[in-house]
Amino acid sequence: MTYPPTRTVEVFEDVAGVRVPDPYRWLEEETPEVRRWQRRQADLATSVVHDGQDPEAVRDLIQAYDSGSRPALPKYAAGRWFRAAGSLIVVADRPYGPGRPVIDLAGFGSERNPAFLSWLAPAPDGRVLALGICTDGSEHNTIRLIEVASGRVLDGAPEQVLHSAWAGGVSWLPDSSGFYFFALTGTPQEFRQGVFLHRHGGTTVEPIPVGEGSREYTLVQMSPGSRWAVASHRVGSPIPVAVRDLSESGTAWRPFVTACPGTIAGHVVGDHYIAVTDVGAPRGRVVAIPLDAADPNDPAGWTELVPEGDTVLRSLTPVGEHLYLSEFDQTFARVRIIDRSGATTGEVPLPGRGALAAPFFALTALAVGTPADDFVFAFSTLTSSWGVYRHRPGDTGIETLSAPTVMLDAELEAGWAIASDGVAVPYHVVRPSGSDPTRPAPTLISAYGAANVPLLPQYQPDLAAFVAAGGVLVQAYLRGGGEFGRDWYLAAHRDKRHVRDADLVAVAEHLIAKGLTTADRLALTGGSDGGLMCGVAVTTRPDLWRAVLPREPLLDLIGGTRDPYLDFVIRKAWADPDDPAEVRRLLRLSPYQLVSPGVFPAVYIQAGAADPRCRPWHARKFAARMQAAQKGEAPILLHVFDNAGHGAATAHDIAITQDTEWLAFLVKTLGLRGRLNRPRPT
C-alpha cells in the first residue's frame, strides 16, 4: 500500500513535567498542506474500499435500512404537535396528523451548507416556535424564532451560539414571555458556556451558582402550575444544583443540591423535585425533594417514592398527573406508570423486547418542554426498526402512530463472557436467519462502555445493513456504560478506565473460544469514546481482529489536554493532567502514543472535518502513525468527511455516504461480497 507522503517533526509535549514525543503535531493544523494530505487520504480510502465491488449496491442497502431510522418525536404545546417533516416544520392537532407547514428550513441554509434542525421548542402558548439551526455539521447552532400563525421569522432572536443540543435548546418560561438557554460566552474553541435569559427585546446572562470554574452543561427546568425553576447541572450525571422562586420578582437563584457525587435527574412537580437518583441505590430509586428544603443536600429530608429494585431506573417523564418511569431489565426497556405519591398505577405494554428512544445523555432527557396528556414514545428492537406509539393513562393498550418500516431477517440470542476479574460481561448476538451457528461467521463487535451512557438493544440502520449483508452482529455491554446502574459505570471510570478495554478483550476471546467466529473473521467498531476503545484494541491486541473501524474517534489523550473541550472531558472521566503520575497513566490509555511498529489488521478510520468534540486531527495523527508503523499488508485507511461533525448534525446525504463506505470496507474485508440483501418490510 502506497500512502500519501507524511513528514514527521521533532516536537515534544510537556504535560506536568512528562515529556511526550509528538512527531505528527503538524497534522493538528488546518493548513492548505494538511487539507491536501487529508484529501489524498480520503481519495485513497474510497478507491481501496470500493475496488472490486459495486458501491451503488452497498449504498442501496444502506438506504433501504436507513428507512427505519429513528424519527424525531413531535413536541407538544397548547393542544397542538410540532414536528419536522423533511425540510418542513409542521404543526398538527395530532402527533402525526397532516397539519400545515409553518416554515421550510431550506431558507436557513444553502446548497453547499444545508440547514440542519438541532432541536425545536414551541412556546407553551403555541404562538412562537424556537428552532436551533446548524449549517456546517458541527452541532454549533443558532436560535431562530418563528411566528407560528404566519410562518414569519421574528427579529430579535439571541445572537449567541449554542455549542450543541445537549442542554435541550431553550426552556420557555411558563407564561411564554421568554426562555432560558445555555450557550457559548466566547468562541467555540474556548469552550466557555453560560446560562442566558431571553425576553422579547433583550438577552441577559443568568447568574446561576454552579460552582467556580465549572465547564459542565446546565439546563433550566420549569413546570406549568409551579412557581419554581430548577437548574440541573452536569451532562452525564445531572443534579439540581440551584433553585429559584419565580413567584416573587427579583428573587435570586440559591444553591440547592450541591454536594452530591451521584445523579438526581427529575422534574419540577408542584413544590417538589421528583427524580430518579442513585444516591443510596446503585440501580436507582425515585425520591421527592422539597424545593424549599432547609438542607436539600441531606438525603434524610428526601421522601422515597419508589425504592431500589432489581431493574435499573433511568428516567422520568411527566404526563398529565402521572409520571412514566423508564427502567432497564437486563438492558431491555420497561415503562412503569406512577402517581405523585410513587404508587404504581400501571405499565406500558411495549411492542417487544427492545429500547425506547432516549437522548445520549441524562441531562438532555430532562428537556421535555410542555408535558402532554399522553405518553408518546419511539421504540425499536435489535431486529425491527423504529415505530412511534402513544399510551394514554388508564389504557390497557398502545396506539401505533407510525409503524416500523423494516424487519431484519435475523435471530437474536444473549450471552456473556467472563472478564479477567470474574465479572460476567453481557452481549447480544444478531445472526442472519438460517445461518449455521456452529460455523465461525464474519462477526462485528459494536461497543461503547463509557460516561454512564447506556448502549441500548435498539435498531441501528448501519448495523442492520451489516447483518443483512451476511454478517453477525455482537453488541457488547462493557463496564463504564449506564446499562446496569452506577456500580457498572464506576467500575470503568477514571483510574479504572482500563477495565472497559479488558472487558472487550474478554468478549472477543470468548466469541472465538465458543466457535462463533475466528480472529481472521472478527471486526470491531465504535464511535467517539468507543473510537478510543477501538484505538486501544488495535494497538494492544492486533492479533484479535481482522478489521477495526473507529468512527469520530478520540485518539490522542495527551494532545487532548490542549483542547479546552477535551481538557474538560479528560479531567472528568480519565485523569488530572496536572499530576505526573496521572499523565503517565493517560499514556497507557492513549492510542496515538501506544502505536509502535508491528503487524496490524485492516483499519478504516472515519472522522468529520467539522467535529467540535473529537477534532479530525485525532484521526489524522493516528492514521499517519499507524501507516508508518504497519509491517503487515493490511491497509490503514482514513477518510475525513467535509461538512460532517460528530454525527449529531451531519446532513443526511453525507451520513449515507459515510455509512456506505464504512459498510463497503466491512463487506470487502470480511468477504461478504454477493450477500447484499434488501430488507423485508414489516
Side-chain angles (χ1 to χ4, degrees):
M1 182 67 61
T2 302
Y3 299 108
T6 309
R7 61 185 175 87
T8 59
V9 292
E10 287 288 328
V11 173
F12 293 83
E13 179 71 14
D14 187 297
V15 185
V18 179
R19 196 164 184 257
V20 183
D22 192 356
Y24 297 99
R25 173 75 69 86
W26 66 277
L27 285 171
E28 292 186 13
E29 303 300 322
E30 297 295 336
T31 64
E33 178 190 13
V34 170
R35 284 191 287 272
R36 285 192 299 270
W37 181 90
Q38 180 172 286
R39 183 69 260 164
R40 293 184 66 185
Q41 290 281 355
D43 291 342
L44 174 66
T46 300
S47 65
V48 170
V49 165
H50 291 310
D51 182 44
Q53 60 181 321
D54 181 3
E56 290 306 312
V58 183
R59 187 179 185 89
D60 286 348
L61 187 70
I62 286 291
Q63 289 180 316
Y65 283 88
D66 185 72
S67 66
S69 293
R70 187 168 94 185
L73 290 176
K75 294 295 183 74
Y76 175 82
R80 295 183 294 175
W81 296 84
F82 298 79
R83 73 181 192 275
S87 67
L88 298 177
I89 303 298
V90 174
V91 59
D93 294 334
R94 303 191 307 277
Y96 287 91
R100 67 170 179 84
V102 175
I103 195 166
D104 189 337
L105 298 177
F108 295 119
S110 64
E111 184 176 352
R112 178 176 174 79
N113 297 104
F116 184 94
L117 181 67
S118 294
W119 51 268
L120 66 83
D125 63 11
R127 296 181 180 180
V128 176
L129 181 63
L131 307 176
I133 302 296
C134 174
T135 58
D136 63 357
S138 68
E139 299 180 46
H140 301 149
N141 63 91
T142 52
I143 298 171
R144 300 289 188 272
L145 299 177
I146 315 299
E147 187 178 63
V148 173
S150 66
R152 180 169 60 95
V153 179
L154 300 175
D155 295 330
E159 297 180 353
Q160 287 79 8
V161 175
L162 282 64
H163 191 266
S164 65
W166 285 5
V170 305
S171 300
W172 284 94
L173 295 168
D175 63 1
S176 300
S177 64
F179 50 78
Y180 292 99
F181 65 98
F182 191 65
L184 293 164
T185 58
T187 67
Q189 291 72 27
E190 294 171 330
F191 189 64
R192 294 194 178 277
Q193 304 180 93
V195 177
F196 296 83
L197 174 61
H198 175 82
R199 293 187 183 271
H200 304 307
T203 303
T204 56
V205 175
E206 190 71 3
I208 296 176
V210 297
E212 187 74 25
S214 175
R215 290 185 179 235
E216 275 281 10
Y217 282 72
T218 303
L219 166 65
V220 175
Q221 301 177 265
M222 289 158 288
S223 176
S226 176
R227 73 180 198 264
W228 302 98
V230 167
S232 283
H233 189 60
R234 300 196 313 224
V235 67
S237 301
I239 57 172
V241 72
V243 65
R244 182 179 184 184
D245 188 343
L246 299 176
S247 65
E248 299 181 20
S249 178
T251 56
W253 289 91
R254 60 179 174 81
F256 194 53
V257 180
T258 58
C260 175
T263 296
I264 306 171
H267 301 277
V268 176
V269 179
D271 290 325
H272 290 78
Y273 192 73
I274 298 182
V276 172
T277 182
D278 55 18
V279 175
R283 291 185 299 278
R285 59 190 178 122
V286 179
V287 299
I289 308 174
L291 289 165
D292 58 357
D295 185 8
N297 283 301
D298 183 3
W302 308 350
T303 300
E304 183 175 88
L305 304 182
V306 178
E308 182 181 30
D310 294 333
T311 61
V312 174
L313 305 188
R314 187 63 185 181
S315 64
L316 285 168
T317 302
V319 178
E321 295 298 310
H322 297 80
L323 293 166
Y324 280 58
L325 176 59
S326 174
E327 46 196 324
F328 300 152
D329 183 0
Q330 297 299 308
T331 75
F332 293 111
R334 288 179 57 186
V335 181
R336 194 187 321 181
I337 308 166
I338 62 174
D339 62 22
R340 294 187 179 188
S341 71
T344 298
T345 62
E347 183 171 328
V348 178
L350 298 177
R353 286 174 62 78
L356 267 66
F360 202 61
F361 287 111
L363 181 75
T364 316
L366 303 182
V368 297
T370 304
D373 292 329
D374 39 48
F375 182 55
V376 174
F377 63 98
F379 179 89
S380 74
T381 74
L382 283 164
T383 58
S384 60
S385 66
W386 291 97
V388 181
Y389 308 88
R390 172 163 56 187
H391 182 267
R392 293 184 170 92
D395 283 1
T396 58
I398 58 175
E399 176 188 359
T400 300
L401 301 177
S402 177
T405 59
V406 174
M407 178 69 73
L408 189 60
D409 192 12
E411 302 164 356
L412 177 67
E413 64 184 65
W416 60 88
I418 303 301
S420 57
D421 59 359
V423 172
V425 180
Y427 61 82
H428 285 126
V429 178
V430 184
R431 183 193 307 279
S433 295
S435 59
D436 185 351
T438 66
R439 297 183 60 185
T443 300
L444 174 67
I445 297 177
S446 175
Y448 186 71
N452 199 23
V453 172
L455 188 64
L456 301 177
Q458 64 187 17
Y459 181 84
Q460 291 182 238
D462 51 353
L463 300 181
F466 170 76
V467 176
V472 172
L473 170 68
V474 173
Q475 183 154 290
Y477 305 102
L478 312 180
R479 279 176 285 183
E483 302 90 351
F484 296 98
R486 182 171 177 80
D487 289 348
W488 191 257
Y489 153 54
L490 292 179
H493 184 60
R494 288 189 70 81
D495 60 325
K496 301 182 182 69
R497 287 304 298 256
H498 62 281
V499 170
R500 187 261 306 264
D501 303 312
D503 282 359
L504 173 65
V505 169
V507 171
E509 291 182 334
H510 168 77
L511 297 175
I512 293 170
K514 188 180 177 182
L516 188 148
T517 191
T518 57
D520 64 353
R521 308 201 81 186
L522 180 59
L524 171 67
T525 195
S528 192
D529 199 319
L532 184 139
M533 173 197 71
C534 289
V536 172
V538 75
T539 52
T540 60
R541 287 300 306 272
D543 57 302
L544 275 180
W545 320 102
R546 176 65 179 269
V548 177
L549 298 88
R551 306 179 84 173
E552 300 86 39
L554 168 60
L555 293 164
D556 179 4
L557 291 173
I558 300 301
T561 63
R562 298 191 305 273
D563 180 314
Y565 172 77
L566 284 180
D567 181 70
F568 150 69
V569 173
I570 289 167
R571 289 176 185 274
K572 179 173 70 169
W574 271 275
D576 179 0
D578 298 324
D579 182 334
E582 295 277 89
V583 172
R584 284 189 283 271
R585 183 167 61 80
L586 279 180
L587 282 170
R588 297 193 295 272
L589 299 171
S590 183
Y592 175 63
Q593 282 76 30
L594 289 172
V595 176
S596 60
V599 176
F600 297 103
V603 176
Y604 173 78
I605 309 164
Q606 197 173 83
D611 193 332
R613 305 191 184 283
C614 301
R615 299 185 186 277
W617 57 257
H618 286 270
R620 291 193 294 246
K621 291 171 64 178
F622 183 73
R625 207 165 197 174
M626 285 288 290
Q627 288 172 353
Q630 175 66 294
K631 300 301 181 185
E633 297 182 355
I636 309 294
L637 303 176
L638 167 69
H639 195 150
V640 178
F641 284 80
D642 293 334
N643 294 324
H646 206 60
T650 300
H652 182 258
D653 287 349
I654 296 174
I656 290 292
T657 301
Q658 289 178 311
D659 288 351
T660 298
E661 198 163 286
W662 172 89
L663 179 59
F665 178 79
L666 281 167
V667 168
K668 181 174 183 176
T669 307
L670 297 182
L672 299 176
R673 298 183 203 179
R675 304 189 67 182
L676 304 183
N677 302 313
R678 303 287 294 184
R680 178 165 59 87
T682 57

